[in-house]
């Protein structure tokens, strides 16, 4: 029977696939963002997210279980120290896949896979978004152009009215 065997084999045998996914998970943990093909990223998400979920509870059993998959003590310590703090309140979905287009050589779909809480550019954009909402560009442009147009028009009109009033007073 072939129950529960529906996953992407990535054209590799089991040992090769496990080594590939373990190395990619280590790179993801250490660098927070990696570039890979879409198929590998989807397989990596299924492999890495349960391991990241284990890091929420820092016990010796969980550390040993994650180490049995990754075989890298630096990645395990990074996962249980730094990453666990950021994902403590998140119920799941620790990774994000962003498509970047096709690779030139073989036209494979490429993407970024990153840890959600570590995308500094997106987090800075969210912080700046709150500041931008207080003052919009359109209203600033409109007021600047209205003031520029009103000033030259108002000055000659004032001179004409002053000139007209002077002869009338005589």
């Amino acid at each position: 029977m072939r129950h529960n065997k529906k996953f992407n084999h990535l054209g590799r045998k089991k040992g090769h696939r496990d080594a590939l996914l373990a190395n990619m998970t280590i790179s993801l943990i250490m660098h927070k963002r990696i570039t890979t093909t879409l198929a590998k990223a989807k397989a990596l998400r299924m492999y890495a997210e349960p391991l990241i979920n284990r890091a929420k509870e820092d016990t010796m059993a969980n550390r040993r279980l994650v180490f049995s998959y990754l075989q890298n003590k630096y990645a395990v310590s990074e996962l249980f120290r730094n990453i666990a703090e950021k994902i403590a309140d998140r119920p799941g979905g620790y990774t994000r896949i962003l498509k970047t287009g096709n690779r030139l050589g073989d036209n494979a779909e490429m993407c970024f896979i990153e840890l959600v809480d570590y995308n500094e550019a997106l987090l800075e954009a969210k912080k700046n978004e709150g500041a931008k909402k207080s003052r919009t560009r359109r209203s600033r442009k409109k007021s600047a152009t209205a003031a520029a147009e009103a000033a030259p028009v108002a000055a000659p009109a004032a001179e004409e009215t002053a000139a007209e009033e002077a002869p009338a007073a005589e």
Side-chain angles (χ1 to χ4, degrees):
M1 285 194 249
R2 56 172 309 279
H3 297 299
N4 201 20
K5 290 182 181 264
K6 187 177 180 180
F7 62 92
N8 195 344
H9 296 280
L10 301 174
R12 291 163 170 82
K13 304 277 181 166
K14 182 181 179 1
H16 189 184
R17 187 171 54 249
D18 288 343
L20 171 82
L21 293 174
N23 287 330
M24 288 177 70
T25 304
I26 291 167
S27 295
L28 180 64
I29 290 169
M30 299 305 282
H31 300 290
K32 312 303 187 265
R33 171 190 257 195
I34 57 174
T35 304
T36 184
T37 62
L38 186 63
K40 286 180 187 174
K42 287 179 178 179
L44 177 62
R45 183 172 50 188
M46 289 174 51
Y47 187 88
E49 290 211 4
L51 297 179
I52 296 170
N53 199 29
R54 288 271 179 186
K56 285 183 174 182
E57 187 180 350
D58 190 4
T59 62
M60 187 58 69
N62 284 345
R63 280 182 178 264
R64 285 178 174 165
L65 192 133
V66 170
F67 183 77
S68 72
Y69 282 92
L70 299 183
Q71 297 292 313
N72 186 320
K73 64 182 180 181
Y74 301 111
V76 172
S77 63
E78 173 77 13
L79 178 64
F80 278 86
R81 286 189 190 139
N82 301 333
I83 297 173
E85 293 174 5
K86 291 216 174 191
I87 61 154
D89 58 340
R90 186 177 287 275
Y94 310 115
T95 57
R96 175 187 297 126
I97 295 176
L98 300 169
K99 295 180 183 178
T100 58
N102 293 347
R103 188 162 51 196
L104 289 177
D106 59 355
N107 207 30
E109 273 191 290
M110 298 299 289
C111 66
F112 285 126
I113 182 167
E114 64 185 4
L115 295 175
V116 172
D117 295 324
Y118 279 92
N119 187 355
E120 288 84 13
L122 187 65
L123 294 174
E124 287 177 15
K126 284 184 180 178
K127 288 179 186 175
N128 293 337
E129 188 176 296
K132 286 183 181 178
K133 285 185 180 178
S134 63
R135 195 168 51 163
T136 62
R137 184 175 187 158
R138 178 170 288 171
S139 63
R140 185 173 34 183
K141 259 188 177 176
K142 205 178 246 186
S143 64
T145 56
E149 290 175 358
V153 173
E159 292 172 7
E160 290 174 16
T161 56
E164 290 174 7
E165 291 174 10
E170 294 175 7

